[in-house]
């Protein structure tokens, strides 16, 4: 099939590359010319396991190409995926300006029967909106072209995005059109060959399913963080509680890790957008409001523990920070809890030396220049360099190389052997025996302090 994917971020680039991998001809469109240049050379602008190799293979075999011109892409394409960002507007609603801009452009340039697929996460009713924008543009041109707007929300996880796309748990397609249903089924059945996992439903149902999935996962995280806060106050180890409840198959182990809050480009904005959507129809989404509130508070939890341990004035102190990305496996720093910690430490007079296996370039780009130029924030070349002469080490992202480090080597390098474990990766008793002060989440006030 001839496919155009508009927007080449985490979703669009993975979508386009994986469709090409299955033998389709794909042209990816992005308005960012510098990004398009890099992708043409086979460079991935984002870090995702296996993505760059797959891109290079498909470019070499002429199935994958890149352009800044949707008009050029429209000449040969029958299916258009919209995969542009839907960041929050100031009122918390999903800002649809990019989706609407693409819809307008599509109305101006499609020249034959087309299926338009909305892969961006969009509020219920956006399918109708996109349809009417395209129709209005076609009317202006006096063009009578048949088209369908389909909802096909994306469920890939950053960090394992290629694997998720190639072997999806399910593919949701929202449409009432038999034509669109057949085309989408044919397109996706190569990914769900073993057992058919394409679920068809109404367009509005599909739009809501995406928000409900993310809100459910965010709720699990905030719920567990709430329990962790209670555990701290009741002298209970939340890790024991986690094992105790995760073993119940009705609950399961996924998304019940206590920590320093969820980040990334999806959960925070999607919970906000759902609360806003509820407000627009006169409904108070009380549970979701609390999920967001707990998460905002949880992002401060390690900062509070640092204050409890060291006091309010951190001037002259130096902290090591392991992990900048919002989760392991990605270089994405959008809404990362590490940013909240960095801001707190630097505002309270400390300096920080940070290390992340993949997000160093993103951090250099996104974190304030002033921090970097003034020496308030340094970047280490190796994880152990971030322990050198520090008063404490903070673990913010649970990358695998941080899970089982050489504690003796760390201790020798550190000025004070203090570990703030924002992801409960370490055994408090082991660290205490080794002479560290250990402060985790949802565990006794502090071990060895
Ligand atoms: N990141 C995820 O893990 C994830 C997972 C599932 C769903 N989603 C949803 O998918 C959508 C895209 O997310 P993302 O993280 O890939 O976004 P992103 O911000 O990484 O990428 C969006 C891309 O779209 C491009 N763009 C914007 N307007 C354009 C236009 N008019 N024409 C061409 N290109 C344009 C931008 O230049 C950018 O490269 C969002 O709605 C998001 O909620 C994201």
């Amino acid at each position: 099939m001839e496919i155009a994917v508009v927007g080449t971020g985490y979703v669009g680039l993975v979508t386009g590359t994986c469709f090409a991998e299955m033998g389709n001809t794909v042209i990816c469109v992005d308005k960012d010319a510098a990004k398009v240049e890099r992708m043409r050379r086979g460079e991935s602008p984002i870090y995702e396991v296996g993505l760059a190799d797959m891109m290079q293979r498909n470019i070499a075999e002429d199935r994958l190409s890149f352009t800044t011109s949707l008009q050029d892409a429209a000449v040969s394409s029958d299916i258009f995926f919209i995969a542009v960002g839907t960041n929050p507007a100031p009122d918390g609603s999903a800002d649809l300006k990019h989706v609407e801009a693409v819809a307008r452009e599509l109305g101006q340039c499609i020249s034959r029967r087309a299926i338009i697929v909305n892969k961006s996460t969009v509020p219920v009713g956006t399918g109708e909106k996109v349809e009417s924008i395209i129709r209005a543009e076609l009317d202006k041109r006096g063009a009578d072209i048949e088209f369908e707007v389909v909802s096909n929300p994306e469920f890939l996880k950053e960090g394992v995005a290629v694997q998720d796309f190639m072997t999806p748990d399910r593919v949701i397609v929202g449409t009432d059109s038999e034509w669109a249903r057949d085309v989408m089924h044919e397109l996706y059945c190569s990914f769900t060959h073993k057992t058919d996992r394409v679920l068809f439903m109404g367009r509005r149902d599909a739009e809501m399913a995406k928000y409900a999935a993310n809100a459910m996962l965010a709720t699990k995280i905030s719920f567990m963080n709430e329990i962790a806060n209670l555990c701290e106050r009741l002298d209970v180890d939340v890790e024991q509680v986690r094992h105790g409840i995760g073993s119940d198959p009705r609950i399961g182990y996924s998304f019940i890790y206590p920590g320093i809050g969820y980040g990334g480009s999806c959960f925070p904005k999607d919970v906000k957008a759902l609360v806003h959507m509820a407000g627009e129809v006169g409904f108070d989404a009380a549970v979701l409001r609390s999920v967001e509130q707990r998460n905002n508070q949880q992002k401060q939890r390690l900062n509070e523990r640092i204050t409890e341990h060291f006091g309010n004035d951190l001037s002259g102190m130096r902290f090591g920070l392991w992990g900048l990305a919002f989760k392991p496996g990605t270089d994405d720093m959008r809404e990362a809890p590490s940013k909240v910690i960095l801001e707190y430490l630097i505002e309270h007079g400390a300096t920080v030396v940070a290390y992340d296996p993949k997000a160093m370039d993103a951090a250099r780009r996104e974190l304030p220049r002033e921090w970097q130029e003034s020496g308030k924030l340094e970047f280490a070349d190796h994880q152990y360099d971030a322990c050198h002469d520090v008063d404490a080490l903070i673990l913010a992202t649970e990358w695998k190389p941080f899970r089982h480090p050489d504690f003796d080597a760390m201790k020798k390098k550190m000025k004070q052997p203090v570990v703030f474990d924002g992801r409960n990766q370490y055994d408090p008793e082991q660290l205490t025996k080794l002479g560290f002060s250990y402060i985790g989440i949802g565990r006794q006030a502090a071990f060895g302090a």
Side-chain angles (χ1 to χ4, degrees):
M1 286 190 198
E2 306 267 328
I3 300 169
V5 179
V6 190
T8 57
Y10 285 82
V11 167
L13 184 55
V14 171
T15 299
T17 307
C18 292
F19 277 139
E21 179 75 1
M22 286 298 184
N24 301 287
T25 304
V26 181
I27 181 159
C28 290
V29 185
D30 204 290
K31 63 180 186 180
D32 182 337
K35 207 171 182 180
V36 167
E37 266 319 301
R38 287 184 66 187
M39 294 186 293
R40 279 182 174 152
R41 292 196 298 269
E43 284 174 35
S44 171
I46 53 166
Y47 174 74
E48 271 300 333
V49 178
L51 181 59
D53 285 351
M54 201 184 267
M55 278 173 71
Q56 285 152 18
R57 190 167 54 246
N58 284 284
I59 292 169
E61 290 170 12
D62 285 335
R63 285 189 301 267
L64 180 63
S65 59
F66 299 92
T67 179
T68 51
S69 164
L70 179 51
Q71 207 165 349
D72 289 354
V75 173
S76 55
S77 306
D78 313 295
I79 310 176
F80 296 83
F81 280 83
I82 304 177
V84 294
T86 47
N87 283 343
D91 63 0
S93 63
D95 186 346
L96 292 177
K97 66 171 184 275
H98 297 304
V99 172
E100 289 170 4
V102 176
R104 256 190 310 278
E105 232 188 301
L106 282 169
Q108 289 156 7
C109 70
I110 52 170
S111 54
R112 59 171 192 253
R113 202 178 183 224
I115 291 182
I116 320 291
V117 186
N118 219 337
K119 208 168 230 331
S120 297
T121 303
V122 289
V124 174
T126 304
E128 282 101 305
K129 205 178 261 180
V130 166
E131 193 173 302
S132 66
I133 292 172
I134 296 174
R135 199 168 303 286
E137 291 298 329
L138 289 175
D139 288 348
K140 277 191 214 160
R141 287 160 58 194
D144 182 19
I145 298 170
E146 190 187 354
F147 70 97
E148 281 294 337
V149 175
V150 172
S151 168
N152 170 221
E154 182 50 55
F155 294 94
L156 61 77
K157 299 184 285 298
E158 283 181 30
V160 283
V162 172
Q163 186 192 320
D164 277 355
F165 200 93
M166 295 301 284
T167 53
D169 297 328
R170 80 303 206 185
V171 173
I172 290 186
V173 176
T175 182
D176 292 331
S177 149
E178 213 167 299
W179 164 46
R181 187 189 295 231
D182 290 347
V183 171
M184 295 298 283
H185 191 258
E186 191 189 331
L187 186 59
Y188 273 112
C189 63
S190 45
F191 297 91
T192 62
H193 205 55
K194 228 189 287 171
T195 50
D196 194 346
R197 294 185 297 279
V198 186
L199 306 176
F200 291 100
M201 57 184 75
R203 196 163 57 186
R204 295 172 76 91
D205 308 330
E207 289 167 342
M208 184 53 132
K210 172 63 193 176
Y211 278 104
N214 276 359
M216 178 65 164
L217 297 172
T219 302
K220 285 185 89 173
I221 296 172
S222 274
F223 171 83
M224 204 58 195
N225 283 332
E226 185 138 316
I227 295 293
N229 278 284
L230 262 175
C231 287
E232 279 171 20
R233 287 158 179 81
L234 294 171
D235 195 15
V236 173
D237 182 351
V238 72
E239 287 303 313
Q240 302 304 328
V241 177
R242 181 173 68 78
H243 284 109
I245 65 172
S247 50
D248 183 333
R250 293 169 303 175
I251 297 172
Y253 287 105
S254 304
F255 283 82
I256 57 164
Y257 289 94
I260 45 178
Y262 55 75
S265 66
C266 294
F267 289 4
K269 87 167 168 54
D270 292 348
V271 170
K272 254 194 195 51
L274 200 45
V275 169
H276 188 272
M277 237 184 282
E280 282 201 315
V281 289
F283 180 72
D284 177 19
V287 171
L288 296 176
R289 277 194 297 106
S290 304
V291 167
E292 190 186 9
Q293 190 190 5
R294 166 63 49 227
N295 195 57
N296 291 337
Q297 288 164 349
Q298 197 65 18
K299 282 186 165 178
Q300 297 292 344
R301 188 63 198 121
L302 221 49
N303 296 339
E304 290 162 9
R305 308 229 51 188
I306 291 168
T307 310
E308 284 160 21
H309 192 84
F310 288 119
N312 228 330
D313 182 8
L314 304 177
S315 37
M317 297 191 78
R318 181 175 161 87
F319 287 81
L321 180 66
W322 276 2
L324 291 160
F326 84 93
K327 68 172 183 179
T330 179
D331 59 351
D332 196 344
M333 283 193 62
R334 289 179 282 187
E335 304 274 339
S338 65
K339 288 182 180 168
V340 178
I341 296 169
L342 276 171
E343 199 172 293
Y344 179 84
L345 294 174
I346 290 172
E347 269 177 13
H348 286 76
T351 56
V352 183
V353 50
Y355 174 78
D356 187 285
K358 293 290 173 200
M360 302 293 262
D361 288 344
R364 285 192 178 93
R365 258 192 334 264
E366 288 179 35
L367 295 173
R369 285 258 124 237
E370 192 268 319
W371 291 357
Q372 302 179 47
E373 283 163 6
S374 63
K376 290 173 188 160
L377 172 64
E378 292 166 36
F379 294 109
D381 291 333
H382 189 278
Q383 71 185 70
Y384 293 115
D385 292 343
C387 298
H388 184 69
D389 216 19
V390 297
D391 292 282
L393 177 74
I394 298 164
L395 178 79
T397 317
E398 65 278 32
W399 284 95
K400 283 199 181 96
F402 301 153
R403 283 199 195 160
H404 193 224
D406 182 342
F407 291 114
D408 289 325
M410 285 163 60
K411 198 173 160 214
K412 280 189 196 126
K413 284 175 174 282
M414 294 168 76
K415 205 190 303 172
Q416 299 192 58
V418 182
V419 171
F420 291 94
D421 181 359
R423 301 290 177 181
N424 285 359
Q425 292 294 291
Y426 306 131
D427 175 0
E429 278 174 32
Q430 185 201 2
L431 262 75
T432 310
K433 269 194 203 132
L434 290 169
F436 285 89
S437 292
Y438 173 88
I439 297 110
I441 298 286
R443 302 172 135 181
Q444 222 170 291
F447 285 85

